[in-house]
Amino acid sequence: MAQAMVTIISTFAQLERDQLSERTKAGMAAAAANGRRAGRREATTEHAGVKGHMS
């Protein structure tokens, strides 16, 4: 009985992971369609903190 419960719970966990991945990909595609790109912004030399670290 315990093995069946573990199997059912792990199935629901996998389903949730798959749904999260689908929502993330759909959101990134929608953002790209609106001209936005995902990820960290590029560092510019205009910021005071960056000037000393850029070579």
Side-chain angles (χ1 to χ4, degrees):
M1 184 69 178
Q3 183 64 33
M5 289 299 295
V6 169
T7 302
I8 292 170
I9 291 171
S10 66
T11 302
F12 280 119
Q14 182 64 45
L15 176 65
E16 185 64 30
R17 283 191 297 269
D18 291 342
Q19 288 177 340
L20 177 64
S21 177
E22 289 175 8
R23 288 192 305 265
T24 301
K25 288 176 184 176
M28 290 176 69
N34 291 331
R36 300 208 41 179
R37 53 180 274 254
R40 187 174 176 170
R41 293 183 180 176
E42 292 184 19
T44 61
T45 57
E46 295 173 5
H47 296 94
V50 176
K51 288 183 181 177
H53 299 290
M54 303 280 292
S55 302

